[in-house]
Amino acid sequence: MPSDAPVDLCSLAFTCSVDPLLLLDEAGRILALNPAAERLFSTPGATARGGPVDDALRPQPPLGALLDQVIRDRAPRALPPDFTLHLANERAVLAEGSLSPLVDPAGACAGVLLALRDVTERRRAEQAARDQAARLHAAVEALDVGLVIYDAEERLCFFNTAYKSHYPECAAAIQVGNTFEDVVREGCRNGIHLHSGLSEEEWVAGRLADHRRSGDVYVRRFGDRWLTLKSTRLADGSTVGLRIDTTEIKQAELALERERQFIRLVLDTIPIVVTVKDRDGKMKLVSKSYAALYDTTPEAAVGKTVSDLPSSHAELSTIGEMDREVLARMQPVSRVQPVARPNGKVRWMSIVKVPLIEQDGTTHILAIGMDITAQREHEEHMAATIAELERQRQAFADQLAVIQRQQALIRALSTPILQVAEGVVAVPLIGALDDARAADVTSKLLDEVVRTGARFAIIDVTGIESVDAATADHLVRIVRAIRLLGASGVLTGIGPAVAQSMCGLEVDLSGVTTHGNLRAGIEVCLRALRGRR
């Protein structure tokens, strides 16, 4: 073609279009099609020309009705959104496009231009994206973790069901478009902040600060619930938040803390020393009484060894020896151990150490100590008293022999054993109760208990004006001897002076029945006998 020949731009555009184009007559027959259409149909143009477009394309829905409308209205129409071509080899193509009437200057319709665009892959990609979005939405909804997204202006963009369920007080305001502050204030109107003791404004300010603190993880209480919250700021200024209901975990933590505090209270209250050490000798648990021995606190003692505390070399040696023995034998070990306090005073401790084994096999050493300083001092005082009495006995041996002869006569007269009722005998004691008299009373009383088969033996001490350590010891021994025969010993007639003396001597009367007078003791014994019948 000469270079100066006129160019038909319309024909050139029709031919060069990358989209398939077909020229149809008013009956829907194909008058012409461009190369793009030939490639789409895999059919040469000469073969397709003259044939009905519905036969060539097998469209669904058919083009007949839409073509008639375009010709009648002389106006273009878009193809239906679900327009599908069924081409050769059963190939289905999703297409978009339009039917446009070609109207001449006289207003007559010379033909119709069918423009097509293959959108099969795009539609598949769009459907895949929709499917992926649906799966993602279903996955987010399946979470028991609350997920929420607020935009840069703090307006709610997205939330899942779990998020809304975590805030029932705020449910009315949890709507797309509402601000974070709208949601918080709705919760305040329903009392979500009342447990905190804060005003509404203080509560709102705190929650806004939490929301704007990107990256932090924190736990907050909302009514009767505990939630773990995390907010992350995205590059566009929006915020993604996670809400996890950790109520059960928090309640378990609080229960453990209450249990820990209770154990601490017990350890700080009991009047005994308690420690738990690991195999390396480091303190894991310390009672207040133990810390007091070293003028420190339980908190300061934990993590330290005994060598870190002010102790003597002998004390450290004994403690180390006991610890090694416990771990070697895996059995309890006991000692009486002096403990030197920082002020120089020495306290005597009765210590028992036992192995403490956790479920995972970890072994600790549990030590329990009792301060027996007062007991040892009392024992020493008693020893000194006995020594003094022995010295006096030696000094007055001759006089004592006379007194003993006189006392023998008095005992014979002053210790009558009476059977006051069947199963009940009584012995009134008058005057002093020395060793000899005590032995005599014990012997006679036990013989009478066996002879009469008595169930109760009453020892009336109304006639004893004062009680020393020896007298108290004799009374306790008599009662114990009676008990060995299967009978019960009862002390009666303990007056104020005797009671005060016995308290001062710290006499152990545990397990000994006492009554103020003989009559009361007899009545109790008789009632007990009737009850046994």
Side-chain angles (χ1 to χ4, degrees):
M1 177 182 295
S3 59
D4 58 350
V7 178
D8 186 349
L9 295 179
C10 291
S11 297
L12 185 61
F14 181 84
T15 302
C16 296
S17 174
V18 296
D19 291 330
L21 299 176
L22 294 91
L23 184 61
L24 309 177
D25 62 14
E26 292 184 355
R29 290 186 294 270
I30 299 174
L31 300 177
L33 66 165
N34 68 350
E38 293 180 2
R39 290 191 297 271
L40 175 64
F41 306 151
S42 300
T43 302
T47 304
R49 291 189 189 95
V53 67
D54 281 347
D55 292 346
L57 303 182
R58 291 188 292 167
Q60 186 63 37
L63 287 173
L66 184 60
L67 182 63
D68 292 341
Q69 185 180 4
V70 168
I71 295 172
R72 183 178 64 251
D73 297 339
R74 300 292 195 272
R77 290 288 185 272
L79 297 177
D82 55 349
F83 191 69
T84 305
L85 306 178
H86 297 278
L87 305 177
N89 300 324
E90 300 299 325
R91 186 164 61 97
V93 174
L94 299 176
E96 291 180 351
S98 61
L99 285 170
S100 301
L102 303 178
V103 182
D104 60 20
C109 183
V112 177
L113 180 66
L114 172 60
L116 298 172
R117 180 176 296 109
D118 186 350
V119 294
T120 304
E121 293 304 320
R122 192 187 78 188
R123 292 281 182 85
R124 288 175 180 171
E126 289 174 349
Q127 184 61 44
R130 286 192 294 271
D131 293 343
Q132 181 69 13
R135 283 192 295 270
L136 180 60
H137 184 271
V140 170
E141 281 298 310
L143 294 174
D144 57 1
V145 175
L147 176 65
V148 64
I149 301 176
Y150 286 89
D151 64 16
E153 285 73 40
E154 298 185 350
R155 294 191 175 278
L156 186 57
C157 298
F158 172 82
F159 61 90
N160 66 353
T161 302
Y163 175 81
K164 192 170 185 178
S165 68
H166 288 334
Y167 299 99
E169 298 90 345
C170 308
I174 299 178
Q175 302 291 338
V176 172
N178 285 344
T179 65
F180 182 79
E181 184 172 348
D182 293 336
V183 175
V184 175
R185 290 194 180 278
E186 174 65 19
C188 289
R189 283 191 287 273
N190 290 289
I192 196 173
H193 66 299
L194 296 180
H195 71 276
S196 67
L198 301 176
S199 67
E200 178 176 339
E201 294 304 320
E202 290 171 331
W203 175 265
V204 172
R207 300 295 71 73
L208 286 173
D210 289 344
H211 177 73
R212 294 163 183 169
R213 194 162 49 239
S214 178
D216 286 357
V217 178
Y218 45 92
V219 178
R220 292 287 182 269
R221 180 184 173 188
F222 297 90
D224 59 352
R225 307 173 309 285
W226 290 88
L227 299 181
T228 297
L229 304 90
K230 180 178 181 180
S231 296
T232 301
R233 187 81 63 184
L234 302 182
D236 63 355
S238 60
T239 301
V240 177
L242 296 177
R243 305 292 187 267
I244 305 173
D245 190 335
T246 52
T247 303
E248 292 185 2
I249 297 175
K250 188 64 177 182
Q251 288 175 343
E253 290 177 354
L254 293 175
L256 286 174
E257 177 61 20
R258 286 193 296 270
E259 182 177 344
R260 188 194 69 80
Q261 292 179 357
F262 180 75
I263 293 174
R264 183 77 262 168
L265 177 63
V266 171
L267 288 176
D268 291 345
T269 303
I270 55 177
I272 61 175
V273 169
V274 177
T275 64
V276 176
K277 295 186 292 186
D278 62 18
R279 282 182 168 270
D280 298 326
K282 291 184 178 180
M283 304 289 179
K284 307 291 288 185
L285 186 66
V286 173
S287 68
K288 188 175 182 180
S289 55
Y290 177 85
L293 286 174
Y294 299 99
D295 289 345
T296 185
T297 63
E299 293 76 15
V302 169
K304 294 182 178 179
T305 64
V306 177
S307 59
D308 297 325
L309 303 174
S311 309
S312 67
H313 177 75
E315 181 181 339
L316 288 174
S317 176
T318 303
I319 291 174
E321 179 183 331
M322 291 182 69
D323 290 350
R324 288 189 293 273
E325 187 175 352
V326 168
L327 294 176
R329 296 172 52 193
M330 295 303 286
Q331 291 181 353
V333 175
S334 60
R335 295 280 192 283
V336 174
Q337 168 70 33
V339 176
R341 296 195 61 186
N343 59 10
K345 293 184 178 181
V346 175
R347 308 297 296 180
W348 283 89
M349 305 294 298
S350 176
I351 302 173
V352 177
K353 294 191 175 185
V354 298
L356 186 65
I357 305 174
E358 296 189 58
Q359 291 183 347
D360 62 358
T362 303
T363 303
H364 304 286
I365 302 172
L366 168 63
I368 302 173
M370 178 71 72
D371 189 334
I372 59 171
T373 305
Q375 177 182 339
R376 287 185 65 91
E377 290 175 349
H378 178 67
E379 290 174 352
E380 291 173 358
H381 174 72
M382 289 294 296
T385 301
I386 293 172
E388 176 62 21
L389 290 174
E390 179 64 20
R391 185 189 65 79
Q392 293 178 6
R393 188 187 68 81
Q394 293 296 330
F396 298 103
D398 295 338
Q399 296 172 346
L400 184 59
V402 175
I403 293 172
Q404 287 176 340
R405 289 193 296 271
Q406 294 173 344
Q407 287 179 338
L409 180 60
I410 293 172
R411 286 196 298 271
L413 299 174
S414 62
T415 55
I417 299 176
L418 308 175
Q419 183 168 358
V420 297
E422 184 179 351
V424 181
V425 297
V427 55
L429 298 179
I430 301 174
L433 186 64
D434 56 14
D435 291 346
R437 188 181 181 195
D440 184 60
V441 170
T442 303
S443 177
K444 291 181 179 180
L445 185 56
L446 295 181
D447 288 342
E448 191 66 11
V449 168
V450 173
R451 188 185 68 80
T452 62
R455 305 301 298 169
F456 292 94
I458 300 175
I459 305 168
D460 183 65
V461 296
T462 305
I464 298 179
E465 296 181 358
S466 62
V467 175
D468 58 13
T471 303
D473 186 64
H474 292 323
L475 293 174
V476 173
R477 288 176 180 274
I478 293 171
V479 172
R480 290 176 178 170
I482 294 169
R483 192 180 301 159
L484 291 175
L485 294 179
S488 299
V490 179
L491 287 179
T492 65
I494 298 178
V498 173
Q500 187 173 1
S501 298
M502 297 181 81
C503 288
L505 295 171
E506 298 184 358
V507 177
D508 183 10
L509 294 178
S510 59
V512 178
T513 303
T514 62
H515 295 283
N517 54 62
L518 179 59
R519 179 179 178 181
I522 294 173
E523 290 177 352
V524 170
C525 292
L526 293 177
R527 282 199 301 271
L529 287 172
R530 288 194 295 270
R532 293 180 180 178
R533 295 172 187 168

